[in-house]
Amino acid sequence: MRKKLIWSFIVLILVVSIYNLIIRTRTVTYMGENKNWFIKINAKLVGLNRSYSIEVKYKGKATIQNADFNIHPRHYDLGFHSFNKNGYYWVCKDDCGYYDKDSKLLFFIVWKEKNDTEEKMNFIDLRKINN
């Protein structure tokens, strides 16, 4: 009887472990905005595969010539030159970093509007939203 109980417990632990590692999708969302930008990061972990998407939306009226951003403390950076017709820019990667440890990220963006000689910059706090 005792052996059956021990084996049942071991099987239960294995089933729960397999579910958490392979089947269950863990997700986290970070969001933040200011008068110029709306930023949303969706990250997910399915088994051992990680992916995320970064949604960057310019809320201003001008046309963006180029922009560069960094996310801290992960130090992920990217430059981009175009938005779709609704002002969104998406970055989708597979098998990449998974944000979930920090309750807050800092998004730093530098951009240049078309026909403007000066670059502009903003710091935007991204807050973790529990999923």
Side-chain angles (χ1 to χ4, degrees):
M1 179 71 172
R2 187 174 178 160
K3 283 186 179 183
K4 282 187 176 183
L5 184 62
I6 291 173
W7 278 107
S8 298
F9 186 70
I10 290 172
V11 169
L12 178 66
I13 290 174
L14 286 173
V15 168
V16 169
S17 298
I18 290 171
Y19 171 77
N20 281 329
L21 287 176
I22 297 174
I23 299 170
R24 182 174 159 229
T25 301
R26 288 179 278 182
T27 62
V28 66
T29 300
Y30 290 89
M31 285 180 27
E33 67 181 310
N34 65 12
K35 65 179 182 167
N36 296 310
W37 298 94
F38 170 79
I39 312 299
K40 183 177 181 181
I41 299 174
N42 287 310
K44 66 181 175 179
L45 178 62
V46 181
L48 300 175
N49 297 321
R50 301 171 298 210
S51 67
Y52 62 86
S53 65
I54 302 172
E55 178 183 337
V56 179
K57 180 175 184 347
Y58 181 60
K59 294 171 20 177
K61 302 293 183 206
T63 302
I64 299 295
Q65 182 175 336
N66 63 9
D68 295 297
F69 66 82
N70 291 293
I71 300 171
H72 297 278
R74 300 292 183 224
H75 304 292
Y76 178 81
D77 57 36
L78 183 72
F80 53 91
H81 300 283
S82 64
F83 289 86
N84 70 12
K85 64 181 179 174
N86 297 320
Y88 285 98
Y89 184 83
W90 287 83
V91 178
C92 296
K93 301 282 185 183
D94 290 323
D95 196 25
C96 49
Y98 177 70
Y99 301 96
D100 71 342
K101 302 288 185 224
D102 302 302
S103 62
K104 188 167 92 169
L105 299 175
L106 181 62
F107 188 89
F108 174 68
I109 188 162
V110 177
W111 75 97
K112 187 174 180 187
E113 295 173 350
K114 201 168 192 172
N115 301 324
D116 195 355
T117 58
E118 290 185 20
E119 286 187 331
K120 299 177 182 180
M121 71 174 110
N122 280 140
F123 288 98
I124 303 167
D125 286 331
L126 304 178
R127 303 224 182 265
K128 186 177 186 178
I129 298 169
N130 293 328
N131 294 342

